Amino acid sequence: MSAARRKAQSPTRPRIVIAGGGLAGLSLALALKTALSDGVDVTMCDPALKRDPHGDKRSYAIAAAARRMLEALGVWREVEDRAQPILDMEITDSRLQDPVRPTFLTFAGEVGAGEPFAHMMTAGDITAALLDACRKAGVDLRAEGVKGFAVAGAHTDVALTAGETLHAALLVAADGARSRLREQAGIGWIAWPYKQSGIVATIAHERDHEGRAVEHFLPSGPFAILPLKDEIRADGTVHHRSSIVWTERAENVPALLESHPEDLLIELERRFGLQLGRLSFETRPQAHPLSFGVARSFVGERVALLGDAAHVIHPIAGQGLNLGLHDAAALAEIVTDAMRLGLDPGAADVLDQYERARRADITAMGLMTDGLNRLFSNDMLPVRLIRDLGLGLVDRMPGLKRFFIREAAGLTGREAPRLLKGEAL
């Protein structure tokens, strides 16, 4: 066993085990180890840690508040040159067959001077940067899973898939929407399907997107076009790219994905439009069933839920990842402050603070995205007239537009954790 591993297993310090190496889990691990240094052992467990993170070509919108967090953690400077700022956004509402797709609402993309409300980047880039920062900070990274746990008074015994048992003050379940650890903790799950799937892909196009994001509201669901950073090829030519999130009725998706590539491209063009010239698929389209889900509690005995293990929302507002990063910022602050006072990070009163800090925000965002999807994913004429009137009114109210853009940036609501303000813990 290496000296670094022996140090990571010191019995004199509290240990926090994080099960799940996604962006929220990695951010939490880095935040805790950066703030508390040798005062805590942080162990991250996920079989996916053995894979090269750069192979993950999924794209995410990083809201301004989340970007401030990554900046405070020293990660943003490592990825900023690969992040595409969203400079403005437009929203349309039409039927697929309509010859004209009118724009009802536009947003300027800044929440402050020189600060875009969001950036687009690939999951692989940000994951690689977080992993590197975690290694340098001394996080114990284990490429194996957590198969179970058993609370034993002042600690919990966390059983790893390779056979080792770790004694932890706190287990953080960041193992996704189908969390086995949440189930083992006896925490209920409230959920319903949307009968929609989200088709995601990276699209190459002929003309520059100029940093503009577009959301087309169509009867089957929203179709979002999100700008990605241009790639410069070896011959010096510029490669323009965007990410799409194509919401479609679930029963239509198998036929779409199994169709001939040229037929699928025609369906893409009908939704994407031709404003950016010729289109092609840069990555293979993948579909994911969409649903709503929220845990009845975000905490159990010496267990805290993080990210998708705690909540899943519709992607209509692009806030799923950002909610998970908000979880990480809140839990890191609560645990750090408690441990600096000499308190047990897994104690019920400490975890109750996390429950109170996140419940209202998650509930509000879940209800909002659920309501927006139900409002815009239908073709009833009276509803279309009312929602288009509402969009037009918002477009004429600068104050309300500023509120919505700050909401998308994660800069409204309850008192934000310090990391989301760009402050160190």
Side-chain angles (χ1 to χ4, degrees):
M1 182 182 293
S2 70
R5 177 59 59 84
R6 287 195 299 271
K7 181 179 178 182
Q9 293 180 338
S10 169
T12 63
R13 293 189 295 266
R15 181 195 300 275
I16 296 173
V17 175
I18 302 170
L23 297 180
L26 287 168
S27 298
L28 174 64
L30 179 59
L32 290 171
K33 196 62 181 172
T34 300
L36 297 168
S37 187
D38 290 338
V40 67
D41 289 333
V42 179
T43 301
M44 161 77 67
C45 300
D46 192 330
L49 293 175
K50 65 181 66 173
R51 297 199 295 262
D52 179 2
H54 290 102
D56 190 347
K57 300 301 183 182
R58 292 175 299 171
S59 299
Y60 286 116
I62 306 295
R67 181 200 59 77
R68 293 178 183 182
M69 174 182 175
L70 296 173
E71 194 167 43
L73 294 175
V75 173
W76 186 250
R77 62 176 175 265
E78 304 298 326
V79 297
E80 186 174 10
D81 63 336
R82 283 159 285 170
Q84 169 63 49
I86 298 180
L87 302 177
D88 60 78
M89 184 171 183
E90 66 179 47
I91 294 174
T92 76
D93 184 13
S94 64
R95 296 183 177 93
L96 190 57
Q97 67 272 21
D98 289 350
V100 177
R101 189 172 287 170
T103 298
F104 287 93
L105 182 59
T106 60
F107 289 104
E110 291 189 342
V111 292
E115 184 177 20
F117 83 92
H119 286 78
M120 289 296 302
M121 63 185 312
T122 64
D125 284 339
I126 191 65
T127 299
L130 281 166
L131 277 171
D132 185 57
C134 283
R135 290 190 188 98
K136 292 176 179 176
V139 175
D140 181 20
L141 298 170
R142 307 283 190 101
E144 57 182 307
V146 172
K147 65 180 181 181
F149 64 95
V151 177
H155 71 275
T156 185
D157 293 326
V158 181
L160 306 186
T161 52
E164 187 177 358
T165 296
L166 303 178
H167 303 296
L170 174 64
L171 171 62
V172 179
D175 54 340
R178 297 181 179 179
S179 170
R180 290 186 301 104
L181 298 178
R182 180 187 67 223
E183 183 177 347
Q184 185 178 344
I187 298 174
W189 183 249
I190 303 169
W192 56 79
Y194 283 118
K195 298 182 181 179
Q196 295 171 315
S197 290
I199 302 172
V200 294
T202 299
I203 306 301
H205 43 81
E206 187 178 9
R207 291 193 281 273
D208 187 2
H209 49 54
E210 299 179 342
R212 179 177 298 108
V214 180
E215 185 139 34
H216 299 307
F217 286 119
L218 299 168
S220 59
F223 182 94
I225 303 169
L226 304 164
L228 295 175
K229 195 79 171 180
D230 289 339
E231 286 187 346
I232 309 299
R233 291 177 171 170
D235 60 3
T237 58
V238 178
H239 186 50
H240 302 302
R241 306 179 306 141
S242 291
S243 174
I244 62 163
V245 182
W246 171 355
T247 304
E248 185 57 63
R249 295 185 181 96
E251 65 268 21
N252 297 337
V253 170
L256 280 169
L257 295 188
E258 293 168 9
S259 62
H260 189 280
E262 291 184 3
D263 293 331
L264 183 58
L265 188 61
I266 290 171
E267 290 298 324
L268 170 69
E269 290 174 342
R270 294 179 67 199
R271 294 157 176 81
F272 195 106
L274 300 176
Q275 67 274 13
L276 296 182
R278 291 191 303 273
L279 306 177
S280 62
F281 286 104
E282 188 172 276
T283 64
R284 182 179 179 180
Q286 295 183 323
H288 307 276
L290 301 181
S291 64
F292 172 88
V294 64
R296 290 187 179 275
S297 174
F298 297 159
V299 299
E301 189 175 6
R302 296 202 172 272
V303 175
L305 305 183
L306 190 79
D308 287 355
H311 45 74
V312 175
I313 64 172
H314 196 283
I316 190 169
Q319 291 298 308
L321 171 63
N322 293 291
L323 285 179
L325 294 177
H326 197 145
D327 293 346
L331 186 57
E333 180 172 314
I334 290 164
V335 168
T336 296
D337 289 350
M339 293 188 68
R340 284 172 176 164
L341 293 172
L343 302 177
D344 177 356
D349 55 349
V350 174
L351 296 182
D352 283 346
Q353 294 179 52
Y354 175 60
E355 174 78 26
R356 293 194 300 271
R358 297 304 295 133
R359 177 62 62 178
D361 184 32
I362 298 302
T363 300
M365 185 59 71
L367 290 174
M368 184 193 77
T369 54
D370 183 76
L372 284 175
N373 183 56
R374 294 176 189 277
L375 176 64
F376 284 96
S377 296
N378 68 72
D379 199 29
M380 295 176 62
L381 182 58
V383 176
R384 291 188 67 216
L385 292 174
I386 292 171
R387 72 193 183 207
D388 292 347
L389 176 61
L391 290 172
L393 289 174
V394 172
D395 199 43
R396 291 166 175 79
M397 302 174 71
L400 193 55
K401 288 174 70 172
R402 281 194 297 272
F403 169 80
F404 284 135
I405 207 70
R406 289 184 65 81
E407 179 74 24
L411 301 176
T412 62
R414 296 164 60 94
E415 179 67 16
R418 296 194 294 274
L419 283 172
L420 295 181
K421 299 176 184 177
E423 303 170 5
L425 292 179

